[in-house]
Amino acid sequence: MHSLWLIPIFPLVGFLINGMLGRRFSKTVINTVAVGSVVLSFLWVLKALSALAPLNETYVEHYFTWISSGTLDIGFDFAIDRLTMVMLLVVTGIGSLIHVYATGYMAHEGGYYRFFAYLNLFMFFMLTLVLAANYVLLFVGWEGVGLCSYLLIGFYFLKKSASDAGKKAFIVNRIGDFGFSLAMFLIVISFGTLDFQKVFAKASTISPEVQYGSITTICLLLLVGAIGKSAQIPLYVWLPDAMEGPTPVSALIHAATMVTAGVYMIARSATLFERAPIAMDVVAYIGLATAVMAATIGLVQNDIKKVYAYSTVSQLGYMFLGCGVGAFSAGIWHVVTHAFFKALLFLGAGSVIHACAGEQDMQKMGGLMKKIPITFAVLFIAAMAIAGVPPLSGHYSKDAILMAAHARAPWMYWVGVVTAGMTAFYVFRSIFLTFFGEYRGKAHPHESPAVMWVPLAVLAVLSLIGGYAFNIPEFLSPVLPMHGGVHDESLATIATAAGLAGILLAAICYLFVPSIPGALASAFAPIYQTLYDKYYVDELYNVSIVKPIANGSREILWKGADVGVFDALVNGAGTTSMALGGLLRKMQSGNLRTYASWVLIGILLVMGGFAVYGGAK
Amino acid sequence: MNLLDITLILPLAAFALVLFLSGDAAKKAAIGFALIIFLVSLGLLGPTLAAPAAMNFESNVAWIDSPAIRYHTGIDGVSIWLILLTTLLTPISMLISWNYIKERVPQFYAYLLLLEFGLIGVFMSLDLFLFYVFWEVCLVPMFLLIGIYGHDRRIYAAVKFFLYTMAGSVLMLVAIVYIYGKAGGTFDYIQILAKLHNGQLHFEPAEQMWLFLAFFIAFAIKVPLFPLHTWLPDAHVEAPTAGSVMLAALMLKMGTYGILRFCLPMFPQAAYNARIPIITLAIIGIIYGALVALVQPNMKKLVAYSSVSHLGFVVLGLFTFDQAGVDGAVYQMIAHGVSTGALFMLVGFLYERNHSLEIKDYGGVATCAPYLSTVFLITTLASVGMPLLNNFVGEFLVLQGAARVNIWWAVFAGLGVILSACYMLWLYQRAFFGPVSHEVEHHVTDLTSREWVTLIPMIALMVWMGIYTQTFLPSISASNTHMLGQVQSKEIANAR
């Protein structure tokens, strides 16, 4: 036994300690408990991994039976294979860094203990999610991270927009979870178990379905779950709003870890997806559409966190594209590199916001390069990484996905390349607006303390070398066989060129000829406005779903049917009940003890009556 | 006289005694008794769990010779949990009424004890007539609890509750008497089952359907199954907190327990034939209850409608005739008792502080009462089916069982799970988040230690039932396997 259970239990204990006693603790104690528990869990991961190396086979630990009924038997089981290992390292590694950063970022915030308690609880559920050996336990983590996301988005619960955003995230995710649950029911019906190893062993004896069949249905339903969690079309709407949460939360949960759970779940279920070509295509289409759509919105946003939020949606779309074209390991590679550079982008943005006294509007920034040079340096590295500039990390994973996409269908590659160009444009737009030119705000920007910039520096190094150093697809080849895409030098060059072109365009628009963006915006006002208002999707959902449900329930179901019909029918006997009510009122004016006596007498009369009646016969 | 009989008699004795005490003494004596009864009832657990499929602690003596009414009682792996829930929630209901009830104090506690007596009786009766007697016994104290200690429209609600339930149970009584004649002069449930099994007693299909419906309608009103639910919101809103807790946690379960214990085994063919319309109503109830809960301005009404939705899951599970479905239904019965009981307690605590049940009169409670808010959040999460808390297990099994029979049942019922998050989180947001008003800040204080005492067992059960289901599920499953074995007639087997 390698006591894998300790990995999630450390943060759970941290949560319990800080959650129950944190209010009385000093910040130092809270920090020690919160950061310490995550670091311990990181160390335990390292220890378990070194003991289990080279981990060519899945290692399983069974703890106890959770739910059993009839033939259904669901255990509290953890399993670890190379895919889990990658996720564990990302979650605990990045998690530790972000916890450290947060001790600096949140230092002056109220509800300090509550923040770290929630953050630790998140770690517990996220680690349960990746360690789970069956779908239901994965679902436990899945729902749990959603809960923590809800709590942390709504952390500033005095603000209505924050509590609204938290609620929205939870409910939209619930819609996805609905699909996930149905998929689980169908898996039980088809395979009789929810255990990963057993399900995949049985599935691998089945040849791929060409037609619509049960595995296709299962995969499409799993995809519904993944779409909710990983913010893909049409359920992505919660993620941009989720930026109401504190910035370390945006980095950890809404960029590096939780939102990639959908990608992880699809990669975990690769054996099923490979047998459902239709579902695979749907994954690819949704991913591609999301990547493009979110990138176009990202082009025109002014809130620095919103830009990165749409960028996250877009990059998650890339990962889906990778999985959908069969390159699951490339998708996971992008999960890893994205965790590095996107966490860095968010934490760097947090440092910028921190420096500008809470300002998030890039129009009120500018010229920060000299004032916060460390933040500038790390953000610049992150921006180059996401833009796919070689040899930074993003270049490798993005390349792998695009190659596989080209092998599946060249047009997918081309759409991906255009998106890569847009990505480079909006990220560098944010860099230029923030750090170049003259400062346009009123605050007095200052560099963040060391606890904040040291984690940034570590992430910057990872963003620099993370792609070259960690060849994830090769590492994962025992679990997720490589598919598609031979490396093609010319295709790779085109993709890189698209990224560089995006950077160049951004430089022209925001450094050299600053009048261009304004002129473009007024020349194409309707398009600009549509993008700026995010295609009005929230408004559309509100008018077509939210309002009709609320008003229909109130006017038709409650006031119409419930009160007007069902209750009215019952009260048809209303006159009788009113009369009886009057009678009761008279009884009430009597002695206080009479009521109880009435009861007792009544019961005795009934019982006695039977006895006498019985005896007489 | 075995331990089960003692568990039954004690509340009645305590009821009589408490009536003769006054004020504080009555209150303390009642709580003392209720705690003793709980401890005594724990003794039932060991032997019952050892043989959960059989009837344990059986007593079988003649009560009345003619008509032959027997005091025939016993418990299996299902009823044990309902009895323990009763004996646990009775002292808790008393403790939460400590400051709330200021007039006619002894009677209040006496009625709770009488209710406990009736409920235990219902869950242990193995004689149809005895069951009917206990069924009616339960009505009286609840009627008085609502009618005397309730809010402004208490008389209306109490009478509605009484008449509605009464109307149903009269039907059941007629059916019971009919069976008595047909079964050769016995009300004994075990004997009737045996006779049905060996062919001495046989119901023609039409006859079976009428009898089934007579029982089922009585139970469906109690559950309550859509569209027979309109007494419930009124009763809950008007009832004192303790009444709401006992009503939601236990009295509603009398209906689902009745279906499980009597409708399915005695009339399996009729139940099977009627399953499609019943499941349709259950699923409508799940969605309808959730949608109507969504727009309630009153917290108690919201929770009441959520019960309509949750109990729809139970009925759905029972009529799947599937092991997982029925196991899930029973698990959901107990889980709902814990989480909705706790919800009503918490709403009651808010009412005691701020004297309003309207959601709009709250807001910002998280700022002035963080512990109360945390407990409310945990209960909310339990209620919306968060994994690792109690309701998830029941809902998961019910939906799994339903999906096995017809995936569309799971699809539509699953919508209720989404909606539950909508109405509960919206309630939570409006009551607990946002800026705190002067009014709320002034009145809403955090939990007192007495309130903690009542809440800790509830939270502990939510977590325990969510994580270590092995304490509860095997015994429930074994009882249900036994029951389903009786139900599986050749016709049903062929139909599947």
Side-chain angles (χ1 to χ4, degrees), chain B residues 62-89:
Chain B
W63 175 22
I64 296 161
D65 290 334
S66 177
I69 300 171
R70 302 191 69 79
Y71 176 80
H72 189 178
T73 56
I75 49 173
D76 66 359
V78 170
S79 37
I80 176 69
W81 297 113
L82 290 163
I83 286 180
L84 286 183
L85 192 62
T86 309
T87 56
L88 173 68
L89 285 180

PDB file of all heavy atoms in Angstrom, chain B residues 62-89:
ATOM      1  N   ALA B  62     -53.651 -11.969  20.464  1.00  0.00           N
ATOM      2  CA  ALA B  62     -54.977 -11.466  20.121  1.00  0.00           C
ATOM      3  C   ALA B  62     -55.243 -10.198  20.908  1.00  0.00           C
ATOM      4  O   ALA B  62     -54.942 -10.110  22.097  1.00  0.00           O
ATOM      5  CB  ALA B  62     -56.031 -12.519  20.431  1.00  0.00           C
ATOM      6  N   TRP B  63     -55.740  -9.186  20.220  1.00  0.00           N
ATOM      7  CA  TRP B  63     -56.139  -7.972  20.930  1.00  0.00           C
ATOM      8  C   TRP B  63     -57.656  -8.037  21.146  1.00  0.00           C
ATOM      9  O   TRP B  63     -58.151  -7.939  22.249  1.00  0.00           O
ATOM     10  CB  TRP B  63     -55.751  -6.753  20.092  1.00  0.00           C
ATOM     11  CG  TRP B  63     -56.200  -5.443  20.645  1.00  0.00           C
ATOM     12  CD1 TRP B  63     -56.525  -5.176  21.942  1.00  0.00           C
ATOM     13  CD2 TRP B  63     -56.414  -4.238  19.929  1.00  0.00           C
ATOM     14  NE1 TRP B  63     -56.903  -3.868  22.074  1.00  0.00           N
ATOM     15  CE2 TRP B  63     -56.836  -3.262  20.855  1.00  0.00           C
ATOM     16  CE3 TRP B  63     -56.266  -3.870  18.580  1.00  0.00           C
ATOM     17  CZ2 TRP B  63     -57.130  -1.946  20.478  1.00  0.00           C
ATOM     18  CZ3 TRP B  63     -56.549  -2.573  18.216  1.00  0.00           C
ATOM     19  CH2 TRP B  63     -56.986  -1.607  19.167  1.00  0.00           C
ATOM     20  N   ILE B  64     -58.364  -8.261  20.060  1.00  0.00           N
ATOM     21  CA  ILE B  64     -59.807  -8.398  20.115  1.00  0.00           C
ATOM     22  C   ILE B  64     -60.123  -9.691  19.383  1.00  0.00           C
ATOM     23  O   ILE B  64     -59.624  -9.934  18.294  1.00  0.00           O
ATOM     24  CB  ILE B  64     -60.474  -7.196  19.419  1.00  0.00           C
ATOM     25  CG1 ILE B  64     -60.143  -5.917  20.206  1.00  0.00           C
ATOM     26  CG2 ILE B  64     -61.962  -7.395  19.306  1.00  0.00           C
ATOM     27  CD1 ILE B  64     -60.339  -4.672  19.420  1.00  0.00           C
ATOM     28  N   ASP B  65     -60.969 -10.539  20.011  1.00  0.00           N
ATOM     29  CA  ASP B  65     -61.210 -11.853  19.413  1.00  0.00           C
ATOM     30  C   ASP B  65     -62.035 -11.757  18.151  1.00  0.00           C
ATOM     31  O   ASP B  65     -61.742 -12.392  17.149  1.00  0.00           O
ATOM     32  CB  ASP B  65     -61.921 -12.761  20.425  1.00  0.00           C
ATOM     33  CG  ASP B  65     -60.964 -13.119  21.540  1.00  0.00           C
ATOM     34  OD1 ASP B  65     -59.746 -13.113  21.275  1.00  0.00           O
ATOM     35  OD2 ASP B  65     -61.422 -13.373  22.659  1.00  0.00           O
ATOM     36  N   SER B  66     -63.098 -10.954  18.245  1.00  0.00           N
ATOM     37  CA  SER B  66     -63.956 -10.888  17.078  1.00  0.00           C
ATOM     38  C   SER B  66     -64.470  -9.481  16.923  1.00  0.00           C
ATOM     39  O   SER B  66     -65.113  -8.968  17.836  1.00  0.00           O
ATOM     40  CB  SER B  66     -65.125 -11.864  17.241  1.00  0.00           C
ATOM     41  OG  SER B  66     -65.987 -11.737  16.145  1.00  0.00           O
ATOM     42  N   PRO B  67     -64.196  -8.816  15.827  1.00  0.00           N
ATOM     43  CA  PRO B  67     -63.390  -9.308  14.711  1.00  0.00           C
ATOM     44  C   PRO B  67     -61.946  -9.546  15.148  1.00  0.00           C
ATOM     45  O   PRO B  67     -61.461  -8.848  16.021  1.00  0.00           O
ATOM     46  CB  PRO B  67     -63.480  -8.174  13.693  1.00  0.00           C
ATOM     47  CG  PRO B  67     -63.738  -6.951  14.507  1.00  0.00           C
ATOM     48  CD  PRO B  67     -64.584  -7.396  15.654  1.00  0.00           C
ATOM     49  N   ALA B  68     -61.332 -10.498  14.519  1.00  0.00           N
ATOM     50  CA  ALA B  68     -60.012 -10.959  14.970  1.00  0.00           C
ATOM     51  C   ALA B  68     -58.948  -9.919  14.681  1.00  0.00           C
ATOM     52  O   ALA B  68     -58.361  -9.900  13.614  1.00  0.00           O
ATOM     53  CB  ALA B  68     -59.670 -12.274  14.299  1.00  0.00           C
ATOM     54  N   ILE B  69     -58.774  -9.025  15.640  1.00  0.00           N
ATOM     55  CA  ILE B  69     -57.718  -8.024  15.507  1.00  0.00           C
ATOM     56  C   ILE B  69     -56.565  -8.455  16.390  1.00  0.00           C
ATOM     57  O   ILE B  69     -56.758  -8.728  17.572  1.00  0.00           O
ATOM     58  CB  ILE B  69     -58.226  -6.634  15.921  1.00  0.00           C
ATOM     59  CG1 ILE B  69     -59.405  -6.226  15.042  1.00  0.00           C
ATOM     60  CG2 ILE B  69     -57.109  -5.610  15.821  1.00  0.00           C
ATOM     61  CD1 ILE B  69     -60.106  -4.977  15.497  1.00  0.00           C
ATOM     62  N   ARG B  70     -55.405  -8.551  15.801  1.00  0.00           N
ATOM     63  CA  ARG B  70     -54.271  -9.051  16.550  1.00  0.00           C
ATOM     64  C   ARG B  70     -53.267  -7.935  16.786  1.00  0.00           C
ATOM     65  O   ARG B  70     -53.109  -7.043  15.963  1.00  0.00           O
ATOM     66  CB  ARG B  70     -53.586 -10.198  15.802  1.00  0.00           C
ATOM     67  CG  ARG B  70     -54.507 -11.354  15.506  1.00  0.00           C
ATOM     68  CD  ARG B  70     -53.744 -12.560  15.005  1.00  0.00           C
ATOM     69  NE  ARG B  70     -52.915 -13.183  16.042  1.00  0.00           N
ATOM     70  CZ  ARG B  70     -53.388 -13.988  16.978  1.00  0.00           C
ATOM     71  NH1 ARG B  70     -54.679 -14.249  17.048  1.00  0.00           N
ATOM     72  NH2 ARG B  70     -52.567 -14.518  17.860  1.00  0.00           N
ATOM     73  N   TYR B  71     -52.646  -8.009  17.950  1.00  0.00           N
ATOM     74  CA  TYR B  71     -51.488  -7.151  18.168  1.00  0.00           C
ATOM     75  C   TYR B  71     -50.302  -7.896  17.581  1.00  0.00           C
ATOM     76  O   TYR B  71     -49.604  -8.634  18.273  1.00  0.00           O
ATOM     77  CB  TYR B  71     -51.311  -6.863  19.663  1.00  0.00           C
ATOM     78  CG  TYR B  71     -50.062  -6.054  19.957  1.00  0.00           C
ATOM     79  CD1 TYR B  71     -50.036  -4.680  19.768  1.00  0.00           C
ATOM     80  CD2 TYR B  71     -48.897  -6.680  20.405  1.00  0.00           C
ATOM     81  CE1 TYR B  71     -48.891  -3.955  20.012  1.00  0.00           C
ATOM     82  CE2 TYR B  71     -47.734  -5.961  20.648  1.00  0.00           C
ATOM     83  CZ  TYR B  71     -47.738  -4.597  20.451  1.00  0.00           C
ATOM     84  OH  TYR B  71     -46.599  -3.877  20.686  1.00  0.00           O
ATOM     85  N   HIS B  72     -50.152  -7.772  16.289  1.00  0.00           N
ATOM     86  CA  HIS B  72     -49.061  -8.469  15.597  1.00  0.00           C
ATOM     87  C   HIS B  72     -48.070  -7.417  15.114  1.00  0.00           C
ATOM     88  O   HIS B  72     -48.419  -6.567  14.286  1.00  0.00           O
ATOM     89  CB  HIS B  72     -49.606  -9.283  14.427  1.00  0.00           C
ATOM     90  CG  HIS B  72     -48.565 -10.189  13.821  1.00  0.00           C
ATOM     91  ND1 HIS B  72     -48.844 -11.034  12.789  1.00  0.00           N
ATOM     92  CD2 HIS B  72     -47.259 -10.378  14.114  1.00  0.00           C
ATOM     93  CE1 HIS B  72     -47.736 -11.701  12.450  1.00  0.00           C
ATOM     94  NE2 HIS B  72     -46.766 -11.313  13.255  1.00  0.00           N
ATOM     95  N   THR B  73     -46.867  -7.467  15.673  1.00  0.00           N
ATOM     96  CA  THR B  73     -45.888  -6.427  15.355  1.00  0.00           C
ATOM     97  C   THR B  73     -44.527  -7.038  15.095  1.00  0.00           C
ATOM     98  O   THR B  73     -44.250  -8.171  15.495  1.00  0.00           O
ATOM     99  CB  THR B  73     -45.758  -5.436  16.521  1.00  0.00           C
ATOM    100  OG1 THR B  73     -45.417  -6.174  17.689  1.00  0.00           O
ATOM    101  CG2 THR B  73     -47.033  -4.665  16.759  1.00  0.00           C
ATOM    102  N   GLY B  74     -43.699  -6.283  14.430  1.00  0.00           N
ATOM    103  CA  GLY B  74     -42.331  -6.729  14.167  1.00  0.00           C
ATOM    104  C   GLY B  74     -41.658  -5.727  13.255  1.00  0.00           C
ATOM    105  O   GLY B  74     -42.316  -4.880  12.647  1.00  0.00           O
ATOM    106  N   ILE B  75     -40.340  -5.804  13.193  1.00  0.00           N
ATOM    107  CA  ILE B  75     -39.632  -4.859  12.336  1.00  0.00           C
ATOM    108  C   ILE B  75     -38.582  -5.588  11.499  1.00  0.00           C
ATOM    109  O   ILE B  75     -38.017  -6.593  11.919  1.00  0.00           O
ATOM    110  CB  ILE B  75     -38.927  -3.744  13.150  1.00  0.00           C
ATOM    111  CG1 ILE B  75     -38.101  -4.331  14.289  1.00  0.00           C
ATOM    112  CG2 ILE B  75     -39.938  -2.743  13.656  1.00  0.00           C
ATOM    113  CD1 ILE B  75     -37.265  -3.304  15.019  1.00  0.00           C
ATOM    114  N   ASP B  76     -38.341  -5.054  10.310  1.00  0.00           N
ATOM    115  CA  ASP B  76     -37.287  -5.593   9.460  1.00  0.00           C
ATOM    116  C   ASP B  76     -36.276  -4.489   9.139  1.00  0.00           C
ATOM    117  O   ASP B  76     -36.292  -3.429   9.778  1.00  0.00           O
ATOM    118  CB  ASP B  76     -37.887  -6.215   8.185  1.00  0.00           C
ATOM    119  CG  ASP B  76     -38.542  -5.169   7.304  1.00  0.00           C
ATOM    120  OD1 ASP B  76     -38.544  -3.984   7.683  1.00  0.00           O
ATOM    121  OD2 ASP B  76     -39.053  -5.542   6.235  1.00  0.00           O
ATOM    122  N   GLY B  77     -35.433  -4.734   8.173  1.00  0.00           N
ATOM    123  CA  GLY B  77     -34.339  -3.808   7.876  1.00  0.00           C
ATOM    124  C   GLY B  77     -34.775  -2.459   7.339  1.00  0.00           C
ATOM    125  O   GLY B  77     -33.965  -1.535   7.249  1.00  0.00           O
ATOM    126  N   VAL B  78     -36.048  -2.331   6.959  1.00  0.00           N
ATOM    127  CA  VAL B  78     -36.545  -1.031   6.527  1.00  0.00           C
ATOM    128  C   VAL B  78     -37.167  -0.289   7.706  1.00  0.00           C
ATOM    129  O   VAL B  78     -36.822   0.855   8.007  1.00  0.00           O
ATOM    130  CB  VAL B  78     -37.569  -1.186   5.384  1.00  0.00           C
ATOM    131  CG1 VAL B  78     -38.264   0.137   5.114  1.00  0.00           C
ATOM    132  CG2 VAL B  78     -36.876  -1.690   4.125  1.00  0.00           C
ATOM    133  N   SER B  79     -38.082  -0.978   8.402  1.00  0.00           N
ATOM    134  CA  SER B  79     -38.830  -0.265   9.438  1.00  0.00           C
ATOM    135  C   SER B  79     -37.948   0.140  10.611  1.00  0.00           C
ATOM    136  O   SER B  79     -38.211   1.145  11.259  1.00  0.00           O
ATOM    137  CB  SER B  79     -40.021  -1.096   9.907  1.00  0.00           C
ATOM    138  OG  SER B  79     -39.705  -2.452   9.956  1.00  0.00           O
ATOM    139  N   ILE B  80     -36.883  -0.602  10.866  1.00  0.00           N
ATOM    140  CA  ILE B  80     -35.989  -0.235  11.969  1.00  0.00           C
ATOM    141  C   ILE B  80     -35.492   1.205  11.808  1.00  0.00           C
ATOM    142  O   ILE B  80     -35.458   1.985  12.765  1.00  0.00           O
ATOM    143  CB  ILE B  80     -34.794  -1.229  12.061  1.00  0.00           C
ATOM    144  CG1 ILE B  80     -33.803  -0.804  13.142  1.00  0.00           C
ATOM    145  CG2 ILE B  80     -34.032  -1.351  10.764  1.00  0.00           C
ATOM    146  CD1 ILE B  80     -34.291  -0.926  14.534  1.00  0.00           C
ATOM    147  N   TRP B  81     -35.149   1.559  10.580  1.00  0.00           N
ATOM    148  CA  TRP B  81     -34.581   2.907  10.381  1.00  0.00           C
ATOM    149  C   TRP B  81     -35.630   3.984  10.561  1.00  0.00           C
ATOM    150  O   TRP B  81     -35.344   5.071  11.063  1.00  0.00           O
ATOM    151  CB  TRP B  81     -33.929   3.009   8.999  1.00  0.00           C
ATOM    152  CG  TRP B  81     -32.788   2.064   8.860  1.00  0.00           C
ATOM    153  CD1 TRP B  81     -32.708   0.978   8.040  1.00  0.00           C
ATOM    154  CD2 TRP B  81     -31.573   2.076   9.612  1.00  0.00           C
ATOM    155  NE1 TRP B  81     -31.512   0.320   8.224  1.00  0.00           N
ATOM    156  CE2 TRP B  81     -30.800   0.971   9.182  1.00  0.00           C
ATOM    157  CE3 TRP B  81     -31.060   2.903  10.608  1.00  0.00           C
ATOM    158  CZ2 TRP B  81     -29.541   0.681   9.716  1.00  0.00           C
ATOM    159  CZ3 TRP B  81     -29.807   2.618  11.135  1.00  0.00           C
ATOM    160  CH2 TRP B  81     -29.068   1.512  10.688  1.00  0.00           C
ATOM    161  N   LEU B  82     -36.865   3.671  10.152  1.00  0.00           N
ATOM    162  CA  LEU B  82     -37.921   4.672  10.325  1.00  0.00           C
ATOM    163  C   LEU B  82     -38.240   4.844  11.807  1.00  0.00           C
ATOM    164  O   LEU B  82     -38.514   5.952  12.272  1.00  0.00           O
ATOM    165  CB  LEU B  82     -39.151   4.253   9.535  1.00  0.00           C
ATOM    166  CG  LEU B  82     -38.922   4.359   8.019  1.00  0.00           C
ATOM    167  CD1 LEU B  82     -39.967   3.575   7.249  1.00  0.00           C
ATOM    168  CD2 LEU B  82     -38.921   5.814   7.585  1.00  0.00           C
ATOM    169  N   ILE B  83     -38.184   3.734  12.544  1.00  0.00           N
ATOM    170  CA  ILE B  83     -38.448   3.837  13.987  1.00  0.00           C
ATOM    171  C   ILE B  83     -37.335   4.620  14.670  1.00  0.00           C
ATOM    172  O   ILE B  83     -37.587   5.504  15.498  1.00  0.00           O
ATOM    173  CB  ILE B  83     -38.619   2.433  14.591  1.00  0.00           C
ATOM    174  CG1 ILE B  83     -39.973   1.876  14.160  1.00  0.00           C
ATOM    175  CG2 ILE B  83     -38.514   2.480  16.112  1.00  0.00           C
ATOM    176  CD1 ILE B  83     -40.290   0.509  14.667  1.00  0.00           C
ATOM    177  N   LEU B  84     -36.102   4.346  14.287  1.00  0.00           N
ATOM    178  CA  LEU B  84     -34.990   5.087  14.907  1.00  0.00           C
ATOM    179  C   LEU B  84     -35.054   6.570  14.549  1.00  0.00           C
ATOM    180  O   LEU B  84     -34.757   7.434  15.373  1.00  0.00           O
ATOM    181  CB  LEU B  84     -33.646   4.496  14.474  1.00  0.00           C
ATOM    182  CG  LEU B  84     -33.297   3.153  15.117  1.00  0.00           C
ATOM    183  CD1 LEU B  84     -31.913   2.700  14.669  1.00  0.00           C
ATOM    184  CD2 LEU B  84     -33.339   3.243  16.634  1.00  0.00           C
ATOM    185  N   LEU B  85     -35.455   6.851  13.318  1.00  0.00           N
ATOM    186  CA  LEU B  85     -35.581   8.262  12.929  1.00  0.00           C
ATOM    187  C   LEU B  85     -36.658   8.936  13.782  1.00  0.00           C
ATOM    188  O   LEU B  85     -36.497  10.082  14.221  1.00  0.00           O
ATOM    189  CB  LEU B  85     -35.937   8.342  11.439  1.00  0.00           C
ATOM    190  CG  LEU B  85     -35.833   9.708  10.777  1.00  0.00           C
ATOM    191  CD1 LEU B  85     -34.400  10.217  10.826  1.00  0.00           C
ATOM    192  CD2 LEU B  85     -36.306   9.646   9.331  1.00  0.00           C
ATOM    193  N   THR B  86     -37.744   8.191  14.049  1.00  0.00           N
ATOM    194  CA  THR B  86     -38.807   8.733  14.905  1.00  0.00           C
ATOM    195  C   THR B  86     -38.296   9.019  16.305  1.00  0.00           C
ATOM    196  O   THR B  86     -38.513  10.100  16.851  1.00  0.00           O
ATOM    197  CB  THR B  86     -39.964   7.723  14.991  1.00  0.00           C
ATOM    198  OG1 THR B  86     -40.330   7.339  13.671  1.00  0.00           O
ATOM    199  CG2 THR B  86     -41.154   8.319  15.710  1.00  0.00           C
ATOM    200  N   THR B  87     -37.607   8.030  16.876  1.00  0.00           N
ATOM    201  CA  THR B  87     -37.182   8.218  18.270  1.00  0.00           C
ATOM    202  C   THR B  87     -36.074   9.261  18.366  1.00  0.00           C
ATOM    203  O   THR B  87     -35.890   9.864  19.416  1.00  0.00           O
ATOM    204  CB  THR B  87     -36.692   6.892  18.885  1.00  0.00           C
ATOM    205  OG1 THR B  87     -35.646   6.360  18.070  1.00  0.00           O
ATOM    206  CG2 THR B  87     -37.814   5.890  18.990  1.00  0.00           C
ATOM    207  N   LEU B  88     -35.342   9.484  17.269  1.00  0.00           N
ATOM    208  CA  LEU B  88     -34.314  10.532  17.293  1.00  0.00           C
ATOM    209  C   LEU B  88     -34.941  11.916  17.136  1.00  0.00           C
ATOM    210  O   LEU B  88     -34.586  12.874  17.837  1.00  0.00           O
ATOM    211  CB  LEU B  88     -33.298  10.296  16.174  1.00  0.00           C
ATOM    212  CG  LEU B  88     -32.277  11.419  15.999  1.00  0.00           C
ATOM    213  CD1 LEU B  88     -31.340  11.487  17.197  1.00  0.00           C
ATOM    214  CD2 LEU B  88     -31.471  11.247  14.727  1.00  0.00           C
ATOM    215  N   LEU B  89     -35.883  12.013  16.212  1.00  0.00           N
ATOM    216  CA  LEU B  89     -36.422  13.342  15.914  1.00  0.00           C
ATOM    217  C   LEU B  89     -37.400  13.836  16.969  1.00  0.00           C
ATOM    218  O   LEU B  89     -37.607  15.039  17.096  1.00  0.00           O
ATOM    219  CB  LEU B  89     -37.080  13.343  14.534  1.00  0.00           C
ATOM    220  CG  LEU B  89     -36.091  13.337  13.377  1.00  0.00           C
ATOM    221  CD1 LEU B  89     -36.811  13.339  12.046  1.00  0.00           C
ATOM    222  CD2 LEU B  89     -35.166  14.546  13.448  1.00  0.00           C
TER     223      LEU B  89
END
